[in-house]
């Protein structure tokens, strides 16, 4: 699909409150960069935890104000939990004086009243977007793009739902991403290049190379035990994350970036937390990727490799409804054994308990899942990407 012409909007503001560790800022940072690079938009990114962005973007100094990186002006949004006051309006003066042509609240982070008043005073008012969390649930298609008038101010908030099917807001996808993925897939030395990048020796030629990026999960130790006792070697790449303490407990020692430990057929390599481009390359090089939240989940699909999703847990198990909605789409073209293997493992993993047959069935299905992952990726790439969909949506309303 052709890239739309630059929007008439001169400036967009994106607000991000870091809730899910790196997922919220990961999506916001990718979106901001793509809007600047591919659509010629002047983007201001307001983030309440600059240190989270620094982990994804090493060029960013969280102690320094007013930085512009990759064409994005980055600002610290000093949110206050004690409520808004006239003397402390909770939003920087540059925004209060001149809100952008488009204002995006990433994942319903709710900018305060002072910001809304400034937006209402602007003529014409900004296009106001609530960028929702990614979901495959059918009801989101009926709500995508709907507007909700503010009860007092001349503003309308539009709800924008990313998704996997036509009629949704699409997924974040840079214009050159398919070409980068295909080039990596065609390069027999891609895995060796990855190892050189992380300064580690190549894994055994017959080892299953797995990346593991997860929330805390008791099933990690169970899976490690199955891998260690198995007949086939497994090399697990574990980026520094919330899964690290569980891994350390399994091996009975502290673990830090650069460590390599072994038990039976399992080799575990601890990687530093890396910026997004290096993580994308890591996903493309692995045979199986365990991912979490939203950002790494989407990138694993663009990597066209088999994946296991650790979805962010919600009250009353609402996350399992979202998990099943995705699996209904993702598994539709699989054979019954592979379908069952993916669904059973996904529910076991998110339930915190893995049995031997869960892993054995998934491992057996991996050849089919590898082919399916490429086909799924190619189908997704036929749809409009999220940034372009936002630009088209806002062009009609600026």
């Amino acid at each position: 699909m052709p890239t739309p012409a630059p929007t008439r909007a001169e400036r967009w503001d994106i607000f991000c409150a870091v809730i899910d560790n790196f997922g919220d800022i990961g999506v916001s940072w990718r979106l901001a960069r793509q809007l600047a690079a591919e659509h010629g938009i002047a983007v201001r990114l307001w983030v309440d935890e600059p240190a989270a962005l620094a982990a994804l973007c090493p060029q960013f100094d969280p102690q320094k104000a007013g930085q512009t990186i990759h064409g994005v002006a980055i600002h610290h949004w000093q949110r206050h939990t004690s409520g808004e006051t006239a003397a402390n309006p909770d939003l920087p003066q540059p925004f209060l004086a001149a809100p952008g042509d488009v204002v995006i609240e990433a994942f319903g982070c709710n900018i305060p009243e002072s910001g809304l008043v400034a937006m209402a005073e602007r003529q014409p008012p900004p296009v106001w977007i609530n960028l929702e969390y990614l979901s495959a649930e059918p009801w989101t298609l009926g709500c995508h793009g709907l507007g909700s008038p503010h009860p007092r101010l001349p503003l309308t908030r539009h709800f924008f739902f990313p998704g996997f099917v036509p009629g949704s807001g699409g997924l974040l996808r840079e214009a050159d991403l398919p070409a980068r993925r295909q080039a990596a897939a065609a390069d027999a030395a891609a895995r060796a290049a990855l190892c050189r990048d992380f300064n580690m020796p190549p894994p055994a030629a017959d080892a299953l190379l797995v990346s593991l990026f997860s929330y805390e999960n008791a099933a990690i130790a169970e899976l490690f035990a199955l891998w260690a006792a198995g007949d086939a070697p497994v090399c697990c790449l574990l980026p520094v994350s919330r899964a690290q303490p569980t891994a350390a407990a399994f091996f009975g020692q502290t673990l830090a970036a650069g460590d390599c430990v072994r038990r039976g057929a399992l080799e575990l390599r601890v990687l530093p937390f890396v910026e997004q481009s290096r993580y994308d390359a890591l996903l493309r090089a692995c045979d199986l990727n365990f991912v979490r939240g939203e950002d790494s989940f989407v990138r694993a699909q663009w990597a066209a490799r088999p994946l296991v999703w650790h979805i962010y847990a919600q009250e009353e198990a609402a996350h399992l409804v979202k998990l099943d909605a995705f699996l209904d789409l993702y598994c539709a073209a699989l054979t019954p054994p592979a379908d069952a293997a993916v669904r059973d493992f996904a529910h076991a993993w998110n339930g915190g308990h893995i049995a031997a047959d869960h892993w054995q069935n998934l491992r057996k299905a991996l050849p089919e899942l590898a082919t399916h992952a490429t086909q799924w990726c190619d189908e997704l790439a036929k749809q409009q990407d999220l940034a372009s969909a936002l630009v088209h949506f806002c062009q009609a309303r600026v």
Side-chain angles (χ1 to χ4, degrees):
M1 184 169 293
T3 301
T7 177
R8 290 178 292 152
E10 296 180 356
R11 183 175 61 246
W12 288 28
D13 288 298
I14 301 176
F15 287 86
C16 175
V18 178
I19 305 298
D20 178 19
N21 292 270
F22 301 101
D24 305 273
I25 186 57
V27 171
S28 299
W29 177 228
R30 287 191 195 272
L31 173 62
R33 295 202 320 269
Q34 188 179 353
L35 289 171
E38 298 182 12
H39 299 278
I41 295 170
V43 182
R44 297 188 299 192
L45 175 61
W46 308 86
V47 55
D48 66 341
E49 291 189 19
L53 177 57
L56 301 175
C57 177
Q59 307 99 305
F60 177 65
D61 181 354
Q63 303 301 320
K64 183 180 177 182
Q67 299 167 77
T68 298
I69 301 174
H70 297 302
V72 178
I74 305 168
H75 301 275
H76 185 190
W77 176 21
Q78 297 183 344
R79 301 172 75 217
H80 303 285
T81 59
S82 58
E84 184 181 2
T85 66
N88 190 6
D90 201 20
L91 279 175
Q93 285 301 319
F95 178 83
L96 295 178
D101 301 87
V102 175
V103 177
I104 297 177
E105 295 173 319
F107 315 116
C109 60
N110 294 323
I111 62 176
E113 181 75 7
S114 58
L116 299 181
V117 170
M119 289 162 58
E121 292 175 347
R122 185 189 188 278
Q123 294 301 321
V127 180
W128 182 17
I129 302 288
N130 181 13
L131 181 61
E132 295 283 354
Y133 286 101
L134 173 64
S135 177
E137 294 171 281
W139 67 265
T140 63
L141 298 178
C143 296
H144 174 62
L146 292 184
S148 175
H150 191 277
R152 293 178 291 100
L153 299 172
L155 296 171
T156 298
R157 175 192 278 175
H158 300 276
F159 297 93
F160 208 89
F161 285 83
F164 305 92
V165 298
S168 71
L171 302 174
L172 279 175
R173 183 187 75 245
E174 304 88 80
D176 66 343
L177 186 59
R180 282 191 279 130
R181 189 259 294 180
Q182 292 169 5
D187 184 2
R191 184 170 294 188
L194 174 75
C195 293
R196 288 194 300 271
D197 183 38
F198 286 100
N199 193 29
M200 62 184 184
D206 59 343
L208 184 75
L209 188 61
V210 179
S211 76
L212 178 60
F213 188 50
S214 165
Y215 300 115
E216 298 90 343
N217 192 345
I220 294 172
E222 297 173 341
L223 186 59
F224 281 180
L226 293 171
W227 286 347
D231 297 329
V234 175
C235 180
C236 179
L237 307 180
L238 177 72
V240 170
S241 67
R242 290 162 62 177
Q244 193 175 349
T246 304
F250 177 82
F251 284 97
Q253 64 181 80
T254 59
L255 293 174
D259 287 344
C260 178
V261 290
R262 293 177 175 83
R263 178 181 295 185
L266 170 63
E267 177 186 33
L268 181 73
R269 300 180 181 186
V270 184
L271 305 182
F273 194 94
V274 297
E275 63 269 30
Q276 290 176 328
S277 61
R278 294 179 72 197
Y279 183 67
D280 290 346
L282 170 69
L283 293 171
R284 290 193 294 266
C286 289
D287 301 305
L288 174 64
N289 294 302
F290 288 75
V291 290
R292 75 183 201 196
E294 181 169 327
D295 185 55
S296 62
F297 172 51
V298 171
R299 303 312 284 196
Q301 293 172 69
W302 293 132
R305 296 289 188 267
L307 63 92
V308 176
W309 184 24
H310 196 185
I311 189 170
Y312 188 77
Q314 295 178 297
E315 294 182 359
E316 299 181 357
H319 59 293
L320 297 182
V321 177
K322 295 182 178 180
L323 175 64
D324 282 328
F326 170 72
L327 292 175
D328 287 344
L329 292 177
Y330 188 76
C331 297
L334 293 175
T335 63
D339 181 323
V342 170
R343 291 178 185 272
D344 290 347
F345 194 96
H347 277 274
W349 184 248
N350 282 278
H353 173 63
I354 292 292
D357 61 332
H358 293 135
W359 168 243
Q360 291 165 359
N361 292 337
L362 186 70
R363 178 65 188 261
K364 185 178 180 180
L366 283 181
E368 179 181 343
L369 296 179
T371 300
H372 172 69
T374 299
Q375 295 170 344
W376 173 260
C377 179
D378 290 343
E379 285 300 311
L380 288 180
K382 295 177 182 178
Q383 301 173 30
Q384 188 175 48
D385 68 275
L386 176 61
S388 297
L390 275 167
V391 169
H392 278 131
F393 184 85
C394 294
Q395 278 181 334
R397 292 164 176 81
V398 171

